[in-house]
């Protein structure tokens, strides 16, 4: 089986969990006999790991003087309006927050370079909507020039590309919902994003969601028939030996870590309020907020208002080895997400022998037994859980021991086999 897969980012050029999940899944699929993946991203840099698949950048494909199959696809393009507001480099969540009231305009002509190719930034800047449109145009060409059995498009950024490839080839489309705008916006949905998401789900022969939490949103908020929506949980790559395995803390205190985007979706304000309650009860503790996002400045101000800045550290965005270095010196990892479709970072923490506290409002809570769980808004329960783990070594060791065993069984190969079953269902339909 040959799979034409569309994503937006791929390691090492990532800004969040989407690229990590795409990498893990393609590696998992590589273990299945007779499954070959051609993975397409807007911009290929040349340093991506292609051991598990072939990777192509849309920026490498000539499109000038090509005939495009766009009869129905024009309806999709109608949803993609290009805004003129210039914003700095941000992740997708922040992009829509910054441009939510500014997205307007109309479809522009496609510009090609001297080689007849379209230039892509491959990022999430002010021209994101134009790049999504351009990506779909190139996808149409790629689908005409390659032999494949099924199309797989990851998240809303790639849905128009998946639709364009389906229209050009007539092959079945599977869309993979890693998050929805309901998660990113807290319910204040951007109509342009919503329409792109809904159009992609409706055009798909099958829809994969990363949790039942997300599956319910897809069915209830987007009106997608339940029979074509299947949950396939994410996994985590096996932890590898590194030079940081024996790293030691530079302080004697316990360390509690929040690691993720500092945005409304991730619940950073609840982490700070719980931290304040714990610090009032015990002195031997420090809290770390590792990440960046639109709520960063507000969180710094709130920590100052509470008078806990001497016990609270903001590291900025961490990636790669820095993430595991941070986890290695942590005594507890906390993910108090308001709406988390899945959440791979708790699995990485458990791999690093760190107990985890997660919100009931996260998809990963559906599959983890050896994790502490509270509602994101219940800062008293969160503070009690943090205090308990830090002050009762037997409790901490129980979660570390059994959590490590549990997470080691969550392998991408298992997820990939379930995705292969979805491919078979799409082909049968």
């Amino acid at each position: 089986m040959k799979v034409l897969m569309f994503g937006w980012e791929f390691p090492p050029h990532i800004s969040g969990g989407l690229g990590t999940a795409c990498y893990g899944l393609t590696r998992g699929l590589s273990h299945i006999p007779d499954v070959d993946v051609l993975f397409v991203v807007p911009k290929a840099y040349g340093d991506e790991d292609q051991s598990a698949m072939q990777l192509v950048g849309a920026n490498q494909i000539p499109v000038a003087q090509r005939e495009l199959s766009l009869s129905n696809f024009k309806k999709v393009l109608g949803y993609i309006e290009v805004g003129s507001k210039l914003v700095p480099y941000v992740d997708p969540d922040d992009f829509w927050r910054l441009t939510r009231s500014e997205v307007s305009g109309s479809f522009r002509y496609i510009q090609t370079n001297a080689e007849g190719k379209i230039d892509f930034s491959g990022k999430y800047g002010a021209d994101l909507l134009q790049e999504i449109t351009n990506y779909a145009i190139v996808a149409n060409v790629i689908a005409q020039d390659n032999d494949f059995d099924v199309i797989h498009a990851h998240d809303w950024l790639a849905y128009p590309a998946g639709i364009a490839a389906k229209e050009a080839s007539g092959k079945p489309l599977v869309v993979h919902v890693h998050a929805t705008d309901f998660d990113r916006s807290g319910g204040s949905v951007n109509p342009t994003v919503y329409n792109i998401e809904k159009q992609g789900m409706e055009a798909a022969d099958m829809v994969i969601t990363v949790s039942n939490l997300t599956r319910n949103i897809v069915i209830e908020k987007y009106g997608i028939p339940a029979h074509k929506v299947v949950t396939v949980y994410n996994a985590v790559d096996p932890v590898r030996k590194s030079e940081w395995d024996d790293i030691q803390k530079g302080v004697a205190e316990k360390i509690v870590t929040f690691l993720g985007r500092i945005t409304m979706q991730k619940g950073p304000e609840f982490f700070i309020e719980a931290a304040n309650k714990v610090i009032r009860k015990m002195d031997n503790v420090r809290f770390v907020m590792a990440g960046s996002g639109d709520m960063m400045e507000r969180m710094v101000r709130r920590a100052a208002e509470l008078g806990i800045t001497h016990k609270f550290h903001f590291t900025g965005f961490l990636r790669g080895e820095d993430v595991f270095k941070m986890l290695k010196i942590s005594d507890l990892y906390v993910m108090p997400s308001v709406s988390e479709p899945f959440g791979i970072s708790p699995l990485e923490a458990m791999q690093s022998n760190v107990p985890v506290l997660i919100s009931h409002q996260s998809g990963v809570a559906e599959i983890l037994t050896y994790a502490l769980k509270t509602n994101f808004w219940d800062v008293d329960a969160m503070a009690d859980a943090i205090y308990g783990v830090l002050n009762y070594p037997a409790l901490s060791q129980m979660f570390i021991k059994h959590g490590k065993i549990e997470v080691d069984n969550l392998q991408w190969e298992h997820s990939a086999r379930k995705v292969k079953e979805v491919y078979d269902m799409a082909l049968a339909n």
Side-chain angles (χ1 to χ4, degrees):
M1 177 184 293
K2 294 182 179 179
V3 182
L4 177 59
M5 190 175 289
F6 294 96
W8 195 262
E9 58 181 42
F10 200 83
H13 307 281
I14 62 174
S15 68
L18 176 60
T20 302
C22 289
Y23 178 68
L25 181 59
T26 54
R27 288 182 62 84
L29 288 169
S30 71
H31 294 288
I32 302 176
D34 303 322
V35 174
D36 295 310
V37 177
L38 174 62
F39 196 97
V40 185
V41 290
K43 182 176 182 177
Y45 293 84
D47 58 349
E48 297 88 354
D49 179 5
Q50 298 190 44
S51 59
M53 45 79 212
Q54 178 186 356
L55 186 137
V56 172
N59 61 312
Q60 301 168 333
I61 307 298
V63 298
Q65 300 179 351
R66 290 295 300 265
E67 183 175 338
L68 303 176
S69 175
L70 294 173
S71 56
N72 294 320
F73 182 60
K74 290 178 182 177
K75 299 176 183 177
V76 181
L77 293 185
Y79 287 127
I80 305 176
E81 298 177 339
V82 181
S84 59
K85 183 179 177 66
L86 294 176
V87 297
Y89 173 78
V90 293
D91 66 22
D93 300 355
D94 291 343
F95 176 85
W96 290 115
R97 181 188 62 80
L98 291 168
T99 61
R100 189 169 298 276
S101 63
E102 300 285 344
V103 177
S104 62
S106 60
F107 177 67
R108 299 190 300 208
Y109 290 105
I110 302 300
Q111 299 293 321
T112 59
N113 58 29
E115 297 177 321
K117 303 173 183 177
I118 300 175
D119 293 321
F120 289 89
S121 72
K123 296 183 179 180
Y124 303 100
D127 289 330
L128 179 61
L129 290 172
Q130 182 66 51
E131 293 212 350
I132 292 173
T133 302
N134 293 351
Y135 192 31
I137 298 296
V138 180
N140 193 275
V141 173
I142 292 173
Q144 294 179 47
D145 292 347
N146 289 273
D147 178 38
F148 55 91
D149 302 294
V150 64
I151 305 158
H152 187 156
H154 289 279
D155 234 34
W156 69 275
L157 298 154
Y159 292 169
I163 295 172
K166 178 178 182 177
E167 183 155 313
S169 65
K171 298 298 174 66
L173 169 64
V174 174
V175 300
H176 205 137
V177 184
H178 295 266
T180 70
D181 204 45
F182 285 91
D183 300 300
R184 292 182 291 265
S185 68
S188 181
V189 178
N190 180 287
T192 303
V193 182
Y194 176 84
N195 282 327
I196 295 173
E197 290 177 327
K198 184 174 174 63
Q199 191 78 13
M201 296 174 196
E202 290 176 341
D205 296 270
M206 294 295 297
V207 177
I208 296 174
T209 57
V210 295
S211 64
N212 288 328
L213 178 75
T214 305
R215 182 176 186 266
N216 291 337
I217 292 175
V218 167
I219 294 168
E220 296 171 7
K221 302 294 188 181
Y222 294 83
I224 305 304
H227 71 269
K228 79 170 194 178
V229 188
V230 178
T231 294
V232 178
Y233 292 109
N234 286 333
V236 65
D237 283 321
V239 68
R240 61 189 186 278
K241 181 74 175 175
S242 79
E243 62 183 294
W244 307 114
D245 285 348
D246 299 322
I247 190 171
Q248 300 295 318
K249 286 191 290 187
V251 294
E253 293 101 328
K254 302 287 187 178
I255 294 178
V256 182
T257 299
F258 170 107
L259 198 156
R261 291 191 304 276
I262 305 178
T263 63
M264 177 279 300
Q265 181 189 357
K266 303 297 183 178
E269 67 269 43
F270 303 104
F271 179 72
I272 287 184
E273 299 303 326
N276 179 52
K277 291 179 177 294
V278 174
I279 291 170
R280 303 304 173 198
K281 288 282 189 177
M282 58 182 291
D283 184 62
N284 186 35
V285 62
R286 290 177 184 265
F287 288 82
V288 175
M289 183 166 283
S292 60
D294 62 282
M295 291 181 66
M296 174 79 155
E297 183 179 339
R298 194 195 321 174
M299 295 301 96
V300 173
R301 287 202 307 267
R302 181 55 180 160
E305 289 171 1
L306 293 170
I308 60 174
T309 52
H310 64 297
K311 291 286 188 177
F312 214 102
H313 305 269
F314 295 87
T315 70
F317 182 72
L318 300 181
R319 58 163 51 90
E321 288 287 354
D322 287 336
V323 171
F324 287 96
K325 287 167 62 179
M326 187 67 247
L327 291 175
K328 286 291 182 182
I329 63 173
S330 298
D331 295 281
L332 178 66
Y333 171 81
V334 181
M335 187 183 76
S337 297
V338 174
S339 180
E340 185 74 47
F342 186 76
I344 290 178
S345 56
L347 305 184
E348 295 174 335
M350 293 166 73
Q351 280 185 323
S352 301
N353 294 314
V354 180
V356 301
L357 168 60
I358 58 179
S359 69
H360 286 297
Q361 292 73 29
S362 61
V364 74
E366 297 172 13
I367 61 171
L368 289 181
T369 300
Y370 293 98
L372 294 110
K373 303 170 188 177
T374 66
N375 290 309
F376 72 86
W377 43 262
D378 194 343
V379 294
D380 288 322
M382 197 182 303
D384 287 342
I386 294 171
Y387 183 88
V389 170
L390 298 185
N391 288 278
Y392 296 94
L395 181 64
S396 176
Q397 286 303 314
M398 184 274 290
F399 280 108
I400 290 172
K401 177 183 175 181
H402 294 287
K404 183 69 162 61
I405 295 171
E406 183 173 38
V407 76
D408 284 346
N409 289 321
L410 300 175
Q411 300 176 15
W412 278 113
E413 187 174 346
H414 298 158
S415 300
R417 292 191 180 279
K418 293 180 180 179
V419 168
K420 170 62 164 53
E421 293 175 4
V422 177
Y423 293 161
D424 292 334
M425 294 168 68
L427 288 165
N429 290 340

